[in-house]
Amino acid sequence: MNTYIQQADNVLAQTYARFPVVFTKGSECTLWDSNGNAYKDFVAGIAVCNLGHAHPVIAQAISQQAANLVHVSNLFYTVPQIKLAQFLTENSFADRAFFCNSGAEANEAAIKLARKYFYEKGDTDRTVIVSAKQSFHGRTYATMSATGQDKIKKGFYPLLPGFKRVPFNDIDALKDTLDKTVCAVLLEPVQGEGGVCCPSDDYLQKVRQLCNQNGSLLIFDEIQTGMGRTGKLFAYEHFNVTPDIMTLAKALANGLPMGAMLTTETIAKAFGPGAHASTFGGTPLVSAAALCVLEYMKEHQIVNHCETVGNYFRKKLMELKEKYAFIMDVRGYGLLIGMALSIKGAPIVNKCLEKGFVINCIQDTILRFIPPLIVQTDEIDALIDCLDLVFQDI
Ligand SMILES: *Cc1c(COP(=O)(O)O)cnc(C)c1O
């Protein structure tokens, strides 16, 4: 066995069931391991490295900023953070941005803001957050309490009070749950970790209507679906539904840790000085990286490319579905694609890895394809050939 892995097994917390690979280098959609083997990456660090690995333009932005100013705290203004907030608000429904360091932190900020908004209005009974079953919102106590998957909560009770869950795509269940105690409905527009579950027909529009009728806020967790992943800059654009609060993280800075919570002017007012904070949130270093990512994506029309190659990719996966009876479903938007199987996915993931392709399996039976958004059709073709070979032997 690789000596690095032997060392790791003695010293790292055992929170991850890792594949026995040590990656040492990357470029675009290719990764190399410590033995010099090359892999095509269809995971992108879990929908994070949208512009691929070691992108020279991003690397330059990071190193320039690192040589200039890394961190001063939010006691002061810095130019990259201001410019990033301008970009995000000019390109979304939102008016204001709060920066933090991860997805869970962005959702924590959203949950705190929703409660504070009603507190400031004197509506102090509105504290309940309604989220969806099968959802994933993070691993902190509040975000774990919102998350709709029991396996994530096991051993960690008691969780926080004030959280309720309803089945995704069940508008009647939501209707029955909404009352004057509900301050916000928190949903992923497309559930990522839950199995790439897409909203049916006009579900999200009806959710928006119900929230309006009940006086509750609508929070979209776009931590996985945001930043162009679904073929629009933000997934809510697919559904003609605007949230009141949106959370971002994963791909925001192409791999540097960054989260953001975006909201409207009216709601943002509830977060006055001292209400919420993060020491590292939105440092000049990560903000400069995120700004560079966004400007590059705009200039090179990466979101359009994602939509085009995403359609191609799904078409190719549908062709495999015609061929193999154990493929139940191919679904998703852009380059957030799930392939539901009637068999376990882990052996397929392992065989693809042996053949130099990094793919991912969630919920035991769903293969998830989330490559860098810059992936090319010849790379997709190579993966399809690999899957075809692996499927023949399964
Ligand atoms: C990954 C993810 C999170 C959690 O983000 P972390 O950065 O791991 O805290 C929350 N919500 C969704 C939808 C995610 O995909």
Side-chain angles (χ1 to χ4, degrees):
M1 203 198 284
N2 189 310
T3 54
Y4 289 121
I5 296 175
Q6 282 169 353
Q7 288 166 17
D9 286 348
N10 290 327
V11 290
L12 292 180
Q14 290 156 319
T15 45
Y16 304 100
R18 296 177 209 252
F19 294 96
V21 180
V22 180
F23 284 123
T24 52
K25 192 175 157 53
S27 175
E28 301 183 334
C29 298
T30 305
L31 286 167
W32 286 272
D33 70 14
S34 53
N35 298 320
N37 302 308
Y39 302 78
K40 280 293 167 199
D41 183 8
F42 283 81
V43 173
I46 318 185
V48 167
C49 304
N50 277 3
L51 297 180
H53 299 282
H55 194 291
V57 175
I58 312 302
Q60 206 208 353
I62 293 171
S63 66
Q64 249 178 23
Q65 188 61 45
N68 202 36
L69 187 69
V70 168
H71 173 84
V72 290
S73 88
N74 287 303
L75 297 173
F76 309 96
Y77 294 99
T78 63
V79 178
Q81 189 185 108
I82 298 164
K83 286 191 174 165
L84 177 61
Q86 279 173 337
F87 196 113
L88 288 170
T89 53
E90 277 163 16
N91 288 280
S92 72
F93 73 93
D95 304 310
R96 292 186 183 271
F98 173 86
F99 294 108
C100 50
N101 313 286
S102 68
E105 278 182 57
N107 284 335
E108 286 277 343
I111 291 163
K112 284 179 70 173
L113 177 60
R115 285 186 175 168
K116 188 76 160 34
Y117 172 72
F118 288 105
Y119 174 86
E120 294 294 331
K121 291 212 314 180
D123 200 348
T124 49
D125 289 339
R126 288 230 190 223
T127 55
V128 172
I129 308 285
V130 177
S131 58
K133 292 189 174 160
Q134 283 287 101
S135 63
F136 181 75
H137 298 295
R139 301 282 191 156
T140 61
Y141 261 96
T143 60
M144 184 170 59
S145 302
T147 290
Q149 300 183 49
D150 290 340
K151 65 177 183 194
I152 279 164
K153 310 179 184 188
K154 206 175 156 211
F156 296 119
Y157 287 87
L159 301 183
L160 300 191
F163 289 84
K164 290 183 180 170
R165 279 154 305 275
V166 294
F168 192 61
N169 277 334
D170 185 340
I171 198 71
D172 292 330
L174 183 65
K175 198 185 257 170
D176 292 344
T177 307
L178 287 183
D179 60 23
K180 298 296 169 207
T181 68
V182 176
C183 73
V185 174
L186 166 61
L187 292 176
E188 301 159 83
V190 178
Q191 291 188 329
E193 306 303 311
V196 192
C197 307
C198 301
S200 52
D201 302 331
D202 50 358
Y203 175 65
L204 294 175
Q205 283 161 344
K206 286 188 174 154
V207 170
R208 177 73 269 184
Q209 281 167 11
L210 284 181
C211 284
N212 290 352
Q213 284 162 17
N214 194 55
S216 306
L217 301 181
L218 178 58
I219 307 171
F220 276 169
D221 176 343
E222 292 233 23
I223 289 163
Q224 187 156 157
T225 55
M227 311 316 297
R229 172 59 50 188
T230 66
K232 304 263 188 211
L233 188 56
F234 303 112
Y236 73 79
E237 299 168 35
H238 284 288
F239 308 108
N240 254 327
V241 173
T242 307
D244 300 298
I245 302 174
M246 173 170 72
T247 52
L248 302 173
K250 287 200 163 77
L252 184 52
N254 207 58
L256 295 202
M258 183 174 225
M261 189 226 23
L262 305 186
T263 188
T264 62
E265 183 66 35
T266 318
I267 298 164
K269 281 203 179 76
F271 258 7
H276 192 50
S278 166
T279 300
F280 290 127
T283 64
L285 183 70
V286 291
S287 297
L291 188 60
C292 181
V293 170
L294 280 161
E295 283 171 349
Y296 185 94
M297 294 213 314
K298 192 167 192 175
E299 191 184 332
H300 295 266
Q301 306 205 335
I302 300 295
V303 181
N304 286 342
H305 175 79
C306 168
E307 190 190 9
T308 309
V309 295
N311 288 338
Y312 178 81
F313 198 172
R314 276 199 309 282
K315 195 183 100 214
K316 289 281 163 184
L317 292 169
M318 288 301 288
E319 286 170 21
L320 288 178
K321 179 173 178 280
E322 296 306 307
K323 214 170 151 183
Y324 298 99
F326 57 81
I327 303 175
M328 309 311 288
D329 192 21
V330 174
R331 58 189 182 232
Y333 291 85
L335 287 167
L336 173 56
I337 306 178
M339 177 186 253
L341 309 176
S342 61
I343 56 174
K344 294 256 185 237
I348 294 166
V349 173
N350 288 328
K351 285 195 174 145
C352 286
L353 194 64
E354 281 168 24
K355 293 181 186 298
F357 290 88
V358 181
I359 65 166
N360 172 242
C361 175
I362 44 179
Q363 308 293 332
D364 289 335
T365 57
I366 298 161
L367 301 181
R368 178 174 53 170
F369 304 101
I370 38 176
L373 306 189
I374 57 167
V375 70
Q376 299 294 327
T377 48
D378 62 331
E379 294 171 311
I380 292 169
D381 289 342
L383 173 72
I384 295 289
D385 289 346
C386 167
L387 286 171
D388 201 358
L389 277 178
V390 170
F391 287 165
Q392 277 169 35
D393 288 348
I394 235 46

